[in-house]
Amino acid sequence: MSDMKMPNAAKTLSPEDVKLVKKFLSDTTLFLGPDPEIMQNHDLMPRTDVEDKCIKKVNETHMIAKIRDRIQAGCDEGYEMVEQMGAAPGAKWGDVITGVYSASGDLAIASAGGVLIFSTLVHHPIKFIIKNWMNDPTVGVREGDGFIHNDSRYGNVHNTDQSMILPIFHKGELVCWVASTVHEGENGAIEPGGMPSMAESPCDEGLKMSPFRVVENYQIKRDILTFLQNSVREPKLQYEDMKVKLYACLRIKQRVEETLNTDGPEALISTLRLTMENVRAEVVRRVSEWPDMTVRTYIIQDSTLRENCVVKINCKLTKTGDRLIFDFRGSSPEFTNRATNTIVAGLKGMLAQVFLCYVWPDLPRGQAAFAPIEVITDPHSIVNCSYDAPNSQSLMSIFTGFTAGQHAVAKFLYSCPEKYTKVHAPTFNMINTFIWGGVSQHGETLGNLCADLNGMGAGARSDMDGEHALAPIFATMADIGEQELNEEDVPFLQLVSKKMTMDAVAPGKYRGGQGYTMMVSTKDSEQWGFMTVCQGAKIPPIQGLFGGYACGAYPLCKVKDVNVYDVLLNEPEKFKHSIAEIMNEQPFEGASYTTHHMGMGFEISKKGELFMISQGAGAGYGDLLERNPDAVIKDIEEHLISQGVAEQLYKVKFDPVTLSVNYDATKAARNDERKARLARGVPFAEFIKTWNQPKPPAYLQYFGCWGDDVDTLYAGGPDITRKANEPRPNYMRNPKDVRIDELEARLAALGAHGDEKK
Amino acid sequence: MTEYLRIDLEKEQWECRVCNHVVGPATKSYKEGMLVHNRDPREIHPPIIDPDKYRFTFSPDPEWVRILEYYCPSCGTMVENEYAIPGHPPLYDMEVDLPALKAQWSTREEVPEPVVGPEVVRGTGHGNH
């Protein structure tokens, strides 16, 4: 609504008139879109009168703990059911959460395992149901109902994730909700697998399920199910996992009802509420132990997945007393036609994982752990996008947002004596894996992904190296799957899998955990393809800590015009097991060898072509000259690093045959390097005279603030700006059109157009 | 405050924990007391595949990102580094609230060594393997 001045002042409405206007607007709402009142709020709902009465009646600590453990066990049981029975690859590898929610919709107790980002994101659709359907005579909420949901604009990370939500009644009164959420993958989007990078609007992103009833009397409604199946590439998966989620919810319901029968509804309601309030209070207390300080950092996305450009995620983290405020103002404007935007709830969900997974893993899982922490963003920015912006690749922004948070938090934790984990450098944050789709060797139409995305290298810690390919940043208890099992269902092989990529390291006093090589090749289908959806082929997507370095860059390599299965059959000695050997030696005659950034749109592959990538390394910690020389030799022995790179970086002197360290020579080489640093280093004041520039470089497409001025956002170049609080469209051209223009210009320069008509 | 820096709250100074060098006033960024080197990222992350043949090599692009290395001007310890867009002003990464910090530590015992944090302890129960 505009603030335009009217010639005649509007009449001041009486309270009765205001009530009437509100009722009119409520009764005649044309579309119940995502509700900002719900979607912008991540705190707990206020304590209700019912909850207050229950807490007054039941508040004995041991009783509360006993019931909480019982409900927790029920959630874990439901989680196990989904993981064991689920058809989606994500379900099998732990991309799941189950939980019990308060009657107001807050997630009070979540399963211990699985994707904890869901723990702060699945409450939104329940609150939408409560607000809009509970009292709607055409919908209502009844015993036996089940609601489905996947549209991230109404809550959740992205549209691959589907939830089943059940209300739980006791003697006719709603006492709580149970829900199960799974990364299902396929959802009928423009590309298979559910996370299209080619989506230029929300309409390209497949199923858009606002919360609606799909279960009555605990039975899935077949007509709606058929519509959903007809809207996706994997109809059988859609059905199977809806059933799995429903039955997991029913099992949790059973455990809740057992508690209701033995301890009564007051005890259950009190337990749910006190669990959340106690966690929230404990988080406030823990924050107050941190030093009062402002920490600044930024993480760079080097692509939109369609083209390389520089996209800034700007983060200022301030702790004052018991308040902790993440300020992401100055981050890139949203892209109107690129899928890497996120709704702000998704960003908050990932920031919650900094704490639940890496800082306070001892806290009960649920929404309360992030509830008191504040987040500020610009409107219509890449970390708080509008309803009209695509967000199917929101992972790109929530993961880089996560890393900004993780990097900043580490600088608070170091000097805080009260610790629940070790201080550590950022974990690798990109889903370096293959999304796949097509028709399988069994004639099934499929679209999903390899769980290798869960194998991110961990950051180094303050007293030890990072773990290799450990876990995804959004779930510390998840698996990277058995490729051999996967290959029973899909028509491609991972010819090289889980082999560490040599020299793709993040050095430091303690090095980051390393990532592994993946080489995939289609074998048994003529209708099969891959895509990759990662950033970081030109700029590392993380920062190092306290002198430790970040990881390097990770490209996609392709070998085409070859059938490696023929090579393996007839000339097996020609096949090599590292990207370096294949790309440098080019062992297959007549083949083409190319490199690309990691945003490969869905591409059909021919039998025997190679697609090769590497998982990334977590960041290093501390000055690499302090690394124990024996640890460097161990890295060489484990093929993590080559002798040449070890010597060049760590200044370690050793015998190349026996690998025995010459400690005196190493000490001398390191002393020489420290002297060299003093010689080449420039005093800060002098350095910034030549380094600092008033604007981003003209040769880069740059998005976001520059320096400390967060009020001005650059949108593609040094002379394209807008005010941070005045959103404007931010369209990107089709990369193919850009390339055609480049080639046309070259033709014109050569005079090759002749007298071609325009 | 960090692996290599401490603040003397009485003198209000950043100090190097390796050589005790006084870096500068704690009311300002410690970086102002450091030496800085603009590092080509290919020197730290050398190409794995041949840069003469390929556009992407596993090395960061030196025209897109640089590594700013901050050295203690006394002992040469690399205190911090910063992956930066060329020309982007260095960040004031740790801006402390000194009065609040003094008040907080006035009630605490001195902690001579950094607290590392708890170990992850391997479970001792029955496993499947």
Side-chain angles (χ1 to χ4, degrees):
Chain A
M1 191 179 290
S2 79
D3 295 327
M4 189 168 58
K5 286 185 178 171
M6 302 298 288
N8 298 313
K11 179 187 162 190
T12 304
L13 297 180
S14 68
E16 290 75 22
D17 289 341
V18 170
K19 199 172 171 186
L20 186 65
V21 169
K22 278 190 175 173
K23 183 174 186 319
F24 172 79
L25 291 174
S26 172
D27 292 347
T28 56
T29 302
L30 295 177
F31 171 53
L32 289 170
D35 189 336
E37 188 178 87
I38 295 171
M39 293 307 302
Q40 296 284 331
N41 182 15
H42 64 281
D43 205 346
L44 306 177
M45 298 297 281
R47 188 194 280 195
T48 64
D49 291 342
V50 171
E51 288 171 331
D52 202 42
K53 282 178 191 162
C54 293
I55 288 168
K56 281 181 178 143
K57 195 167 177 184
V58 183
N59 54 33
E60 200 272 317
T61 310
H62 289 94
M63 166 74 86
I64 298 294
K66 185 194 80 175
I67 296 173
R68 181 168 58 242
D69 287 351
R70 201 168 171 181
I71 300 297
Q72 176 77 60
C75 292
D76 292 344
E77 194 179 349
Y79 169 82
E80 286 290 330
M81 286 175 67
V82 178
E83 194 179 35
Q84 296 297 326
M85 299 193 303
K92 291 170 185 165
W93 304 317
D95 280 7
V96 171
I97 204 165
T98 55
V100 176
Y101 300 71
S102 70
S104 302
D106 292 325
L107 176 52
I109 299 171
S111 54
V115 173
L116 286 173
I117 182 174
F118 292 146
S119 66
T120 45
L121 288 171
V122 193
H123 62 106
H124 300 107
I126 298 180
K127 289 171 182 172
F128 181 91
I129 294 167
I130 292 168
K131 185 170 180 178
N132 295 295
W133 300 156
M134 190 91 86
N135 297 315
D136 188 310
T138 67
V139 189
V141 174
R142 299 180 294 264
E143 193 157 357
D145 283 351
F147 293 82
I148 195 168
H149 158 259
N150 87 318
D151 187 341
S152 56
R153 295 171 301 177
Y154 291 81
N156 236 337
V157 184
H158 50 187
N159 294 358
T160 59
D161 305 327
Q162 296 190 21
S163 295
M164 179 66 76
I165 301 163
L166 268 62
I168 307 296
F169 290 85
H170 181 71
K171 295 182 179 173
E173 294 294 323
L174 179 73
V175 290
C176 64
W177 303 75
V178 297
S180 168
T181 303
V182 175
H183 177 114
E184 297 291 357
E186 176 49 37
N187 59 11
I190 190 171
E191 294 172 296
M195 302 192 291
S197 56
M198 300 295 281
E200 295 210 356
S201 87
C203 295
D204 295 330
E205 294 177 331
L207 269 177
K208 290 283 182 190
M209 295 191 284
S210 54
F212 62 87
R213 178 167 40 239
V214 72
V215 170
E216 282 181 0
N217 298 320
Y218 303 116
Q219 298 288 315
I220 294 172
K221 287 163 67 77
R222 198 70 197 238
D223 54 344
I224 298 177
L225 169 67
T226 304
F227 159 70
L228 297 176
Q229 291 177 291
N230 195 40
S231 304
V232 300
R233 293 176 179 83
E234 294 200 43
K236 286 194 287 192
L237 174 125
Q238 182 67 32
Y239 184 26
E240 183 174 347
D241 277 2
M242 282 173 67
K243 285 177 71 175
V244 167
K245 289 195 289 275
L246 173 61
Y247 281 92
C249 285
L250 290 175
R251 179 61 61 85
I252 301 169
K253 173 176 172 285
Q254 181 186 334
R255 300 306 180 216
V256 169
E257 285 172 345
E258 287 164 4
T259 300
L260 287 168
N261 291 333
T262 54
D263 299 288
E266 292 90 353
L268 176 78
I269 291 169
S270 178
T271 299
L272 297 180
R273 184 71 204 180
L274 285 179
T275 296
M276 293 189 290
E277 290 187 2
N278 291 344
V279 170
R280 193 185 190 287
E282 173 63 3
V283 166
V284 171
R285 188 196 69 76
R286 291 185 181 189
V287 165
S288 70
E289 293 296 311
W290 291 13
D292 282 36
M293 181 164 61
T294 292
V295 169
R296 295 177 182 83
T297 184
Y298 65 87
I299 304 294
I300 297 297
Q301 303 177 14
D302 69 357
S303 89
T304 65
L305 299 180
R306 300 284 300 281
E307 58 271 288
N308 281 121
C309 55
V310 176
V311 182
K312 189 181 196 184
I313 300 294
N314 197 51
C315 178
K316 183 172 86 168
L317 180 57
T318 301
K319 183 267 176 182
T320 308
D322 60 6
R323 291 180 69 194
L324 188 62
I325 305 166
F326 283 96
D327 185 348
F328 282 90
R329 288 177 294 184
S331 297
S332 166
E334 77 178 22
F335 289 96
T336 309
N337 62 339
R338 292 292 182 267
T340 49
N341 311 292
T342 183
I343 59 163
V344 71
L347 173 73
K348 291 173 180 176
M350 272 313 297
L351 291 172
Q353 303 325 296
V354 173
F355 300 98
L356 281 172
C357 296
Y358 296 93
V359 180
W360 303 317
D362 58 315
L363 291 179
R365 272 76 173 101
Q367 187 186 327
F370 194 69
I373 297 170
E374 300 164 59
V375 178
I376 306 171
T377 60
D378 291 320
H380 294 208
S381 71
I382 196 165
V383 290
N384 182 10
C385 72
S386 63
Y387 175 79
D388 297 318
N391 68 20
S392 48
Q393 275 300 333
S394 61
L395 301 186
M396 298 302 107
S397 291
I398 66 175
F399 288 176
T400 44
F402 166 94
T403 301
Q406 188 178 38
H407 189 229
V409 162
K411 294 186 176 180
F412 285 92
L413 292 179
Y414 189 87
S415 64
C416 179
E418 189 179 284
K419 289 188 177 66
Y420 299 84
T421 53
K422 295 173 187 294
V423 173
H424 61 97
T427 298
F428 189 72
N429 61 3
M430 284 288 134
I431 47 172
N432 288 14
T433 189
F434 289 99
I435 298 177
W436 39 254
V439 178
S440 77
Q441 66 271 41
H442 310 300
E444 300 276 0
T445 300
L446 302 177
N448 231 298
L449 79 176
C450 299
D452 295 277
L453 86 165
N454 287 354
M456 298 171 182
R461 289 152 286 190
S462 60
D463 65 344
M464 60 201 298
D465 292 337
E467 299 278 356
H468 303 312
L470 179 66
I473 50 176
F474 47 83
T476 45
M477 294 171 71
D479 197 356
I480 53 177
E482 296 294 338
Q483 181 57 26
E484 291 78 5
L485 291 179
N486 196 30
E487 285 165 2
E488 291 178 7
D489 297 328
V490 294
F492 70 92
L493 301 182
Q494 276 205 33
L495 293 171
V496 173
S497 177
K498 321 292 189 281
K499 179 178 187 289
M500 292 300 160
T501 310
M502 184 187 276
D503 287 338
V505 291
K509 176 181 179 181
Y510 299 105
R511 55 142 180 80
Q514 216 142 313
Y516 58 77
T517 296
M518 285 168 268
M519 293 187 196
V520 297
S521 185
T522 299
K523 182 169 175 289
D524 299 315
S525 173
E526 293 182 349
Q527 195 175 336
W528 192 259
F530 300 101
M531 57 188 281
T532 53
V533 288
C534 314
Q535 298 160 337
K538 288 175 88 71
I539 302 176
I542 58 177
Q543 296 270 3
L545 187 65
F546 301 152
Y549 290 103
C551 61
Y554 298 91
L556 164 70
C557 301
K558 298 181 190 174
V559 185
K560 299 207 166 190
D561 301 319
V562 65
N563 182 342
V564 292
Y565 295 109
D566 286 344
V567 173
L568 287 166
L569 191 63
N570 301 317
E571 303 171 286
E573 69 282 359
K574 282 192 175 176
F575 188 80
K576 308 292 179 181
H577 293 81
S578 72
I579 296 173
E581 288 171 295
I582 289 178
M583 296 302 284
N584 291 336
E585 297 174 17
Q586 300 191 345
F588 316 126
E589 288 116 22
S592 73
Y593 300 79
T594 56
T595 61
H596 310 264
H597 68 69
M598 289 282 280
M600 173 178 66
F602 182 72
E603 183 173 311
I604 290 289
S605 70
K606 291 181 182 168
K607 181 178 180 180
E609 292 176 342
L610 278 177
F611 292 76
M612 305 182 292
I613 60 173
S614 173
Q615 255 293 0
Y621 179 103
D623 184 351
L624 77 177
L625 293 185
E626 294 188 356
R627 183 160 180 75
N628 185 335
D630 297 338
V632 177
I633 298 301
K634 188 162 178 276
D635 287 348
I636 294 172
E637 290 173 334
E638 293 180 351
H639 304 288
L640 301 177
I641 190 167
S642 62
Q643 292 192 12
V645 171
E647 188 163 1
Q648 177 191 332
L649 290 181
Y650 290 106
K651 311 300 179 195
V652 174
K653 299 296 180 187
F654 54 89
D655 184 300
V657 177
T658 65
L659 296 183
S660 60
V661 177
N662 183 331
Y663 293 99
D664 291 336
T666 298
K667 190 176 178 184
R670 288 180 166 185
N671 283 338
D672 287 347
E673 175 59 16
R674 289 189 180 94
K675 285 176 191 161
R677 286 174 174 177
L678 297 180
R680 69 175 173 253
V682 179
F684 183 85
E686 198 178 316
F687 176 79
I688 59 173
K689 283 181 192 168
T690 53
W691 166 266
N692 282 11
Q693 298 298 320
K695 291 180 177 182
Y699 59 86
L700 291 178
Q701 268 192 299
Y702 183 91
F703 298 87
C705 73
W706 185 255
D708 290 333
D709 178 10
V710 295
D711 295 326
T712 302
L713 300 183
Y714 291 84
D719 300 318
I720 310 170
T721 62
R722 73 162 168 84
K723 290 290 174 195
N725 59 358
E726 295 174 4
R728 280 164 48 192
N730 181 25
Y731 277 98
M732 300 294 282
R733 298 185 65 216
N734 189 319
K736 286 184 177 170
D737 289 340
V738 174
R739 180 66 176 157
I740 288 169
D741 281 357
E742 287 169 4
L743 296 174
E744 288 277 2
R746 284 162 67 176
L747 286 174
L750 293 168
H753 283 311
D755 53 0
E756 183 184 52
K757 290 181 180 175
K758 300 297 181 189
Chain B
M1 296 300 291
T2 83
E3 178 74 13
Y4 300 115
L5 294 171
R6 64 170 175 255
I7 290 178
D8 184 323
L9 287 174
E10 288 180 11
K11 295 177 182 169
E12 300 190 355
Q13 286 171 336
W14 288 103
E15 295 173 355
C16 175
R17 290 180 56 206
V18 178
C19 69
N20 299 323
H21 170 73
V22 175
V23 173
T27 49
K28 293 184 174 180
S29 172
Y30 65 85
K31 290 179 181 173
E32 294 188 24
M34 295 282 150
L35 299 178
V36 194
H37 175 58
N38 172 8
R39 172 81 83 167
D40 183 332
R42 293 173 297 185
E43 295 170 6
I44 303 300
H45 308 287
I48 293 176
I49 57 177
D50 190 345
D52 291 333
K53 289 181 183 152
Y54 300 112
R55 291 174 61 202
F56 297 91
T57 63
F58 287 85
S59 283
D61 187 330
E63 292 190 353
W64 286 51
V65 66
R66 310 292 294 188
I67 305 173
L68 302 185
E69 297 181 343
Y70 297 96
Y71 309 137
C72 169
S74 172
C75 65
T77 297
M78 184 157 60
V79 168
E80 188 55 284
N81 65 51
E82 182 175 353
Y83 286 64
I85 303 302
H88 190 286
L91 293 180
Y92 186 179
D93 66 330
M94 295 175 77
E95 183 179 358
V96 297
D97 181 338
L98 272 176
L101 214 53
K102 285 180 183 178
Q104 187 178 48
W105 280 91
S106 68
T107 61
R108 285 180 180 162
E109 295 286 318
E110 187 179 349
V111 182
E113 291 297 321
V115 178
V116 174
E119 295 285 343
V120 175
V121 180
R122 191 183 293 271
T124 54
H126 178 72
N128 292 323
H129 302 288

